[in-house]
Amino acid sequence: MNTVLLLVDIDGTLLRVDRKVTRQVWSNAWEEVVGGSVPWERLDTAAGKTDFQILSQLLGSSKVAWEIRQQFFDALAKHGEYLIEPSAITLYTEALEFLRFARDYGMHLAVLSGNERRCGWHKLRAVELEGYFTTGFFGCDAVERLLIPARALQWAQQYLGRSRDHITAVVVGDTPNDVIAARVHGLRSIAVATGPYSYEKLLEFRPTECVRHLGEGAVSLRRIVTTSVMERRLIIAIDGPAGSGKTTTARLLAERLGYTYIDTGAMYRALTLAALEQQIPLTNDALAALAERVRIELRNEGGSQRTYLDGRDVTERIRQPDVTALVSQVSSYPSVRDAMVRIQQQLGQHGGIVMDGRDIGTAVFPDADVKVFMTADLDVRAQRRLAELHQSNPTLTFEQVKQQLQQRDMLDSTRQYNPLRKAEDALVVDTTALTIDEQVESILRFIRHRLMMSNSPTLSDARHN
Ligand code: DC
């Protein structure tokens, strides 16, 4: 029997706070920390956003210094506790019945809200709902709302002592963002039309269940937890030339989302190593036979990906110059690509993966939910590669590295079969002047926009578990 974890949003879902009062809280905090009056015209909507997202949008920058953020949240909490009185809050009575039902059913209830933590608890306390919840996950903890459920799932595994497969998590919220955040993590969702979005509008985002108010929520919830259909998580394809930052970014993105990271370059490198060691002639047929014969595995060990060739750990070995010099040539053969693509498609078929390479968005998963193409100036890429290689090869020069990269780019992008190419619908991220965190955040924003706009049928593919 699965443990049910109900992740419930606050504003628009359980209650409504008088808008004038909320604005006053923000005005006071703004005046105290930033100075002047709040530039509300910069904000399209607050619904479904985290307080952090609202703050950065109002400030006109996604780079909000940590101190400002802390000071602002402190001020928000202080003014919130003072100004948001019970009389400023309308509690939805149906929501109360819904929470009682869930509690009596033995479900675990946690808050999942874009609110600043203290403000969130304050609102719940004011209407005596606090006691229903074991814990909460809030907008001040994550720059992107999409990431909040990942924390909730981690917590559930740790504190409820259940494995991921034994947790049925359901997000309950009133905005498309709630539905999307659930989908990214393969969770079920109940969308409730008691916030700014109509029932019809919410339906477009295909929540597992959609209700007009939470009075209808108990029936939906019972239906959800007694069926074993699970939404499949996303396939995120990241392509780009060597040194564009895709590996670091893809790995971090996967870690934050709780997804599996798959480095396809490592597979081509492992095959190249096998060809070198076994002195295989570089022909399509010989390499096809080799690809059939060898066993290439990507294993996740202690959070990092290790590459195995016929059971031998070759993670470090495949980064050596002899492999790098030959890999583009080996990977240009159609037989090699077909064999690797088949394995990659199998690895990714259930979703929940971030896969990086050259042809992921075009050949391996042309229907990937999200495609990203990363680039950077050649000089910057060469500088990064040089820094990486410097320890193992201190005599290497900038010019040498640059030339090798150029050569590899040329081979990878001009080969006949599945060359390095940007998919038409890919987001281009030029990493020349971006930090890793900025790269990850821009992709997370893109994922949210993509899912907000998309009615792609692949997203509703259901999988029985
Ligand atoms: O990402 P990397 O530098 O480890 O990749 C090594 C080589 O493998 C690259 O120069 C081209 C090839 N490759 C490919 O052809 N297709 C992929 N999906 C990934 C890598």
Side-chain angles (χ1 to χ4, degrees), residues 264-265 268-269 319 328 331 337 357-359 408 412 415:
T264 61
Y268 289 96
R269 285 173 179 273
R319 305 284 150 193
S328 286
S331 51
R337 304 209 68 79
R358 304 291 189 285
D359 59 342
R408 211 138 63 89
D412 292 345
R415 68 174 171 239

Side-chain angles (χ1 to χ4, degrees), residues 221-264:
L221 191 53
R222 206 194 296 259
R223 197 158 40 224
I224 283 183
V225 299
T226 49
T227 55
S228 61
V229 177
M230 186 172 143
E231 294 266 0
R232 96 158 158 67
R233 293 184 295 163
L234 309 181
I235 293 176
I236 302 174
I238 302 192
D239 291 305
S244 58
K246 61 185 181 337
T247 303
T248 320
T249 308
R251 194 183 291 139
L252 197 60
L253 180 66
E255 186 186 309
R256 295 211 179 146
L257 289 172
Y259 275 29
T260 303
Y261 164 62
I262 299 170
D263 171 6
T264 61

Side-chain angles (χ1 to χ4, degrees), residues 176-345:
N177 267 325
D178 298 299
V179 177
I180 285 165
R183 181 181 296 149
V184 168
H185 299 279
L187 312 183
R188 295 157 222 206
S189 57
I190 299 179
V192 53
T194 43
Y197 293 88
S198 68
Y199 176 83
E200 288 71 23
K201 188 75 200 161
L202 288 171
L203 264 186
E204 286 176 23
F205 295 89
R206 291 196 253 111
T208 320
E209 297 272 338
C210 195
V211 295
R212 291 180 195 279
H213 56 76
L214 280 180
E216 302 164 359
V219 176
S220 296
L221 191 53
R222 206 194 296 259
R223 197 158 40 224
I224 283 183
V225 299
T226 49
T227 55
S228 61
V229 177
M230 186 172 143
E231 294 266 0
R232 96 158 158 67
R233 293 184 295 163
L234 309 181
I235 293 176
I236 302 174
I238 302 192
D239 291 305
S244 58
K246 61 185 181 337
T247 303
T248 320
T249 308
R251 194 183 291 139
L252 197 60
L253 180 66
E255 186 186 309
R256 295 211 179 146
L257 289 172
Y259 275 29
T260 303
Y261 164 62
I262 299 170
D263 171 6
T264 61
M267 299 169 68
Y268 289 96
R269 285 173 179 273
L271 189 74
T272 304
L273 177 64
L276 273 170
E277 288 181 339
Q278 299 176 31
Q279 298 180 353
I280 304 291
L282 299 187
T283 65
N284 196 45
D285 290 349
L287 288 169
L290 179 70
E292 282 290 312
R293 208 166 55 234
V294 295
R295 204 173 73 245
I296 296 169
E297 292 166 284
L298 303 177
R299 296 189 202 157
N300 198 323
E301 290 173 9
S304 73
Q305 186 192 276
R306 314 278 314 166
T307 309
Y308 285 80
L309 175 62
D310 288 328
R312 174 166 57 110
D313 186 344
V314 293
T315 313
E316 278 78 32
R317 178 65 188 88
I318 57 172
R319 305 284 150 193
Q320 295 296 312
D322 56 344
V323 175
T324 304
L326 205 64
V327 63
S328 286
Q329 196 184 338
V330 170
S331 51
S332 67
Y333 290 97
S335 65
V336 167
R337 304 209 68 79
D338 285 345
M340 295 298 129
V341 167
R342 242 191 337 267
I343 303 176
Q344 289 154 11
Q345 286 171 336

